[in-house]
Every structure is written in C-alpha cells, then in structure tokens.
Amino acid sequence: MKGIVIILFLTSVLVDARGPEIFGYFEPQYNGIYQFRRYYHFQSNKLRIDLKNNTTEYLDFGADVIFLLYFGEKNWNLLNFIPGRISAQVPPEMRLFYNFSYTDTLFLDNIYARISNTHFAVTVGKQQLSVGAGYFSNPTDIYNRKNVFDPTYEQTGHNGIRGDISLSRRCNLMMVLSPLDINFEESGKFVRIKSGIGRFDLSLVGGDIPMILTDYYHFLQTRQRRIIIGGDIVGEVLGFGVWAEAAYNRLESSSNFYESIVGFDYTFNSGLYFLLEYHRNSSGKTDYRAYDLNDWMRFFSGENKTLAQDQVYGYFQYPLNDLFNVGGSVIVVVSDRSGAFIPTFNYNILENVDFTFMFNLYIGEEGKAYGSNLGPGFLLRGRIYF
Amino acid sequence: MKEIIICAGLFIFSGLLYGNEQKALTAEEIIKEMSVRLNPQTSKAKVKMTIMTTTQKKRIFIYKLFSKDHGEKSLLKYISPSRIKGQTILMLNDARDIWVYFPRTKRIRKLASHARRQKLKGSDFSYEDLGASNAFVDEYNAVRKDDEKKEGRQCYKLELTRKVKSSAGYSRLMLWVDKEYLIPLVIDYYQDENPGILEKELILSNIKLIDGIYTPMKFVMYNKLDNTKTVMEFTEVSYNLKISDDLFTELGMQK
C-alpha cells in the first residue's frame, strides 16, 4: 500500500503532458557464506523504479524508489564475524545488542528537481553526491563509503541543495549544503573546485560536516564536527592512467586523521585491463592485535573505512568474448598480512540482462582484517533492466 | 557539323584536363580534402549501432552524437538500451581526452589514452575510430597507389603508414576514396604491432547529400580477427547547426 502511495505521489509530481519516462531494473541476488562448518544463505529481490521528466529545457525532475525483499538467513549476530578473543569479552546479556536483521524495505532512494542551463545547475532534494578519483575508496567523499568488494555498486542518495557553476570550459565549482540539522551552523557544507591543467584534471575540496561516532561497548553515540580539506588529481603518465586523492580530517573531539590513495591503470591491446591502488588511512591501526570491539563494529557500520592503516587494492578484467568478462579484485592489508580475493564473472546474456558471479575468499589468520573466520562466500546477481 | 566537332573536341580536351587535374592530386591533398568532407564544422546525428557478436547474437545501441570544430570535440549520449541509457562519452582533442558520465551514480570518470583503442560497448569500433577526426592527416603519412574500382565506383587508392612518433592504434591503413565524392568507401586497418595483419575493414555506403554535404549513412566494420561485425547507421543527420561549446563540458554531459 505504502508503495502504491509513493508511486502515485511520484507520478503526480512528475507527470506533465508528455508524461514521465519510467525505467529501472529488477535485481534478484543470492548470497552464500560458509562459516564455522555451517552454510548460511540469503537472497534479496530488489526492484528499482526510476521516473524522470524534463518539464522544460531548463527544469527536470528525477526520482527512484527501491523495493527490497529479503529471504533466507535474515538475522545475523555481528559478534560471529569478530575474533573470538574480542567477542568473548561481551557479556552474554549484551550479545543481543549486536544482532543485525535485514528487513524488507521500501524507500525513496533519490528525488530531486534540477534547474540548469549550460553555465549553472541547482539541484534540490535527495540526490547522488559523490566525488573523488579513487576506485576502491575516496578520501574526499564525505557522503559515501564504498564497498571494497563491489566498489562501483550504486550508492543511496543524500539530502541536499547542490549548486554547480561552470567557470570555464574545464573549470567547475560545486557547492553542497546538506541540511542535517535545524540550524545552518550544524548542517553540512561542502565545496569543490575542479579544473583541467593540460592532460590532468585537478580538484580541491573543503567541507564541514557533522560526524557520528558510536561507542559499541556502551552503545552511546557522540556527534562532532568534521572539517575536511583535500583534493585529487587524475591524468596520464607514460601511457598509464594515474590518479591520487588525499584528505586531512580535523575532528572536534577525536584524533585528527588523514587518508590518501594513489593508483594507476592500463589496458593492453588484448583488452586486459588492470588497476592498482595504495590506500593509507591514518585512523587505522598498524598492529592487528590492537583492533578492538569499536574498531570492528565501526568498520562494519561504515563509521571507519578500514581497520588497518595501509591497504593495497588490485583489480583486473579480461573480455573472454564480447559478452563475457572475467576478472577479480585483490585486497591486501599490508600491516597484518591478510587479504581477500574476489574472482568475478560477468555475462551479458541478453540485451538488457546481466549476470554477475562473485566469490570472496579470505586469506589470513583469525583476528586479522580479512581473517579466514569471516567465512568464504559467493554472490550470484542478475539484473534485468526495463 | 564543324561546331559539333569543335564542341566534342573541347569536351574531350577539358575532360582530359580535368582527368589530369584529378590524377595530379597528391595523396596528402586527397586525405586533407577527405578529412574536411568527413568532419564538418558542426554536426548532430542519431545513430543506430548493431553489433553482431562472436556467438551471432545481436546487440542494438542507439545514441545521439554531437560534434564541433571539425570533429575535434564530440559527445555521445546513449538513448537505449535501458542498461546504459543516459551514459555519455565526451571526447576532446580528437579523442585524446575521454570522459564517461554514469547517470545512475552521477559520476564522471576520466579515461587514460590506453582506453582509446578499446572497443566502444563491445562493438568493433574503438573510441579512436569514432573520435579521432583528424587522425588520417595528423597520425599517418599517405602514399598514392594506382587507382582502383571499389564497391562499383572509381576510387583513389591510398596507403597510410603511421608516423614515427604517432600513438595511433593501427600500423597501416589502406583507403579507397570515391573520386566523385572524395569520401572513403573502404578502409582496411592493419594491426598495431604487425602491418601485415589485416585487423578490421570498414565499408561506407548509402551516400546522401545532406545540407550540401555528401554523407555516408551506413558504416559496416568487419573485425577480421574476431569474425564479428558492427553496423552503424545514421538515422538522422544535420550539419552547420549552432552548438554551444558548453555542451562539451562536465555540465553539458549531464544535461
């Protein structure tokens, strides 16, 4: 019923004489995990419906609604993924607090209006906000955290008012105000200026945004200001695609930290593509024996991007034929010498139908960032576009 | 009768002169004139691209194509299929700089030049094939061979070899250029590493006069190594329109 109301609402908002464009996809997904000699499986069925309407040349509306239904093992206790020496410290009566359940959901993923001409654009509403040149992680992106196993998967929208101004052919200014609170001072602000210098694109960013940090021993949340200054550069050196991205974060009541990523990529004539990135997060730890409950839980919740300080990411893809790609990702945590290998297969079986098959294999002792106790798993995902 | 003979004589003589004039065209002159004709100041087109895969499956893509400054700037926006609808590719400096816009994530990624030689959406056309408008002049040295008949038309035959410092993706090209339209009818592309191996063959056909410009409406690229082919057809074309430079920017990609 709620879904029908949302669709009717969106349609009434978006419709005009020409009617809205309706498109989207259906995405069934099956996941399996083998952990502690037990096989768990769960599935999800995701339906994304996009509505788009260009009312005039200068004004357009866009929205998408997502329906998500889960089946199989929907209830998980996150302590089962944390090394035993840490989870054992949690009193039995507190264990329930670490439960996590997948619940069927229906939500407006994005809904925005955009007024634009060739020199400026103002977008108001819940919208995609993502910046940065990195593939696996974006230190300058204060809005999203990428899943390193599937970094290109789309992110949910963020409420905000965004302005884009084209200052010259290759120079743009982007400003975002995210009204996260009732007063202006407590709301998020973000500015990026991007320009082109020769064969390079260069961006500088600055932001001030509230950040929530949870104490998972006592389930207390603290809110503090986060000021970020950073930038990225992307271009080409000796035929290789190269990029670097870095940000310094000043926190109101926690330790300041910086994050950086550098990478390069290349495509051989055979079609084999590879990229390599080195990622440093100074808020991560150098000794895996120092990872504590908060580190693990913040890593799972996305409050921390990494457990460790230094990571190397690799990705390769090879087209076996025009419709079938094989590839994989490798994640290596330099300090604790653990890692994950994610072979990936992608098949474009029909014009608008894709299949993806992914394994995840962990190489590392229990207690390390990618310890084998996390359990090997796989994912089979179909996507039917309409 | 005398007048007829004189007229016929003059006609034959002028024909000989014209023929000699055409024969006198050097390879560089033919290539330059051909490049000018292939790349008008501005153009806008709707293109249907049909890919015949190795497994003989068809994939159809439809996109809008805008170009300016004789093809130095081009922007390609997909209309269908739904899977990639709204994806936009911006190519500047004859496809030396390429950006791709992904509408679902609203992200723009810059591609390095090694990506220029890659297949565009699995087709037999590379980014370079579509975006490098002036490559025939800038990247290759041309030599004129004996004229030949190709596709039923009288053609200039030219051999283009890659310049020493060029980064073009093919070692050698053979072109058959229609003598009347100065439009290539057949282009053979030879492999990057081995100038003896024919990699692809492009056949241009269905030439129509649009806005005073002879335009091949159909392009068929045969991949001789993979045994695949891609057909590109202009379903709408117009030239000499007013297209703002602002279209070929990040904001323009998102419009």
Side-chain angles (χ1 to χ4, degrees), chain A residues 169-324:
Chain A
R169 187 176 139 185
R170 284 183 69 188
C171 185
N172 300 296
L173 178 68
M174 167 187 167
M175 294 165 292
V176 183
L177 175 69
S178 324
L180 300 170
D181 205 299
I182 48 168
N183 66 57
F184 179 81
E185 287 74 26
E186 291 294 313
S187 292
K189 293 124 207 156
F190 185 78
V191 180
R192 180 189 70 168
I193 186 155
K194 186 174 180 184
S195 189
I197 300 171
R199 306 291 299 278
F200 285 85
D201 282 356
L202 179 73
S203 300
L204 294 173
V205 306
D208 177 0
I209 195 161
M211 179 175 149
I212 289 167
L213 214 55
T214 310
D215 171 0
Y216 284 95
Y217 288 101
H218 307 98
F219 286 90
L220 294 172
Q221 285 192 325
T222 52
R223 187 170 149 147
Q224 56 183 313
R225 303 298 303 171
R226 174 186 174 193
I227 292 170
I228 183 170
I229 298 166
D232 66 69
I233 185 165
V234 55
E236 192 175 330
V237 174
L238 301 171
F240 288 88
V242 292
W243 58 90
E245 186 180 347
Y248 179 75
N249 294 267
R250 196 162 74 82
L251 303 179
E252 199 176 14
S253 52
S254 304
S255 302
N256 302 334
F257 70 96
Y258 70 89
E259 204 190 330
S260 58
I261 196 161
V262 289
F264 71 94
D265 69 351
Y266 192 76
T267 315
F268 291 92
N269 284 350
S270 64
L272 174 67
Y273 170 82
F274 80 91
L275 77 77
L276 205 63
E277 285 187 333
Y278 188 88
H279 178 216
R280 167 162 274 218
N281 174 11
S282 75
S283 70
K285 291 180 174 168
T286 49
D287 185 351
Y288 74 92
R289 285 163 296 203
Y291 301 158
D292 61 21
L293 183 67
N294 272 336
D295 294 327
W296 279 100
M297 290 300 294
R298 286 172 185 166
F299 177 56
F300 290 148
S301 68
E303 290 172 39
N304 277 357
K305 280 187 184 171
T306 60
L307 283 164
Q309 208 165 72
D310 299 283
Q311 286 75 219
V312 175
Y313 303 119
Y315 172 76
F316 72 95
Q317 191 182 57
Y318 179 72
L320 276 185
N321 63 36
D322 356 31
L323 306 175
F324 192 52

Side-chain angles (χ1 to χ4, degrees), chain B residues 55-102:
Chain B
T55 48
Q56 299 307 305
K57 285 182 180 168
K58 254 188 195 178
R59 292 285 183 272
I60 297 172
F61 297 89
I62 296 173
Y63 59 83
K64 280 184 188 169
L65 181 66
F66 302 87
S67 79
K68 196 176 178 184
D69 295 344
H70 305 286
E72 185 266 325
K73 302 182 182 94
S74 50
L75 184 125
L76 190 157
K77 189 182 266 298
Y78 283 97
I79 301 168
S80 83
S82 308
R83 189 162 55 88
I84 57 158
K85 184 186 165 97
Q87 259 186 43
T88 305
I89 298 166
L90 172 65
M91 292 183 269
L92 299 180
N93 303 321
D94 290 324
R96 285 184 191 92
D97 292 303
I98 306 170
W99 292 265
V100 184
Y101 168 65
F102 300 93

Side-chain angles (χ1 to χ4, degrees), chain B residues 208-227:
Chain B
K208 286 187 178 167
L209 188 65
I210 295 171
D211 298 337
I213 295 169
Y214 285 109
T215 308
M217 302 296 279
K218 189 175 180 183
F219 301 71
V220 186
M221 182 73 96
Y222 295 90
N223 189 318
K224 299 289 183 182
L225 303 177
D226 296 342
N227 200 25

Side-chain angles (χ1 to χ4, degrees), chain A residues 21 57 116 118-119 130 132 194 199 201 236 239 241 265 267-269 322 347-349 351-352 386, chain B residues 53-54 57 59-60 81-83 85 96-97 99 107 110 112-114 118 192-193 246 249-250 255:
Chain A
E21 281 180 69
E57 191 188 338
S116 64
T118 48
H119 297 290
S130 61
K194 186 174 180 184
R199 306 291 299 278
D201 282 356
E236 192 175 330
D265 69 351
T267 315
F268 291 92
N269 284 350
D322 356 31
Y347 183 38
N348 174 223
I349 190 166
E351 187 88 62
N352 276 315
F386 54 88
Chain B
T53 68
T54 40
K57 285 182 180 168
R59 292 285 183 272
I60 297 172
S82 308
R83 189 162 55 88
K85 184 186 165 97
R96 285 184 191 92
D97 292 303
W99 292 265
R107 280 186 84 91
K110 189 176 195 303
S113 65
H114 53 79
Q118 296 310 304
D192 179 28
E193 302 89 358
D246 297 320
T249 61
E250 280 204 8
K255 278 289 280 182

Side-chain angles (χ1 to χ4, degrees), chain B residues 199-210:
Chain B
E199 187 178 333
K200 295 195 275 193
E201 182 169 70
L202 179 66
I203 309 233
L204 299 88
S205 60
N206 193 14
I207 294 170
K208 286 187 178 167
L209 188 65
I210 295 171

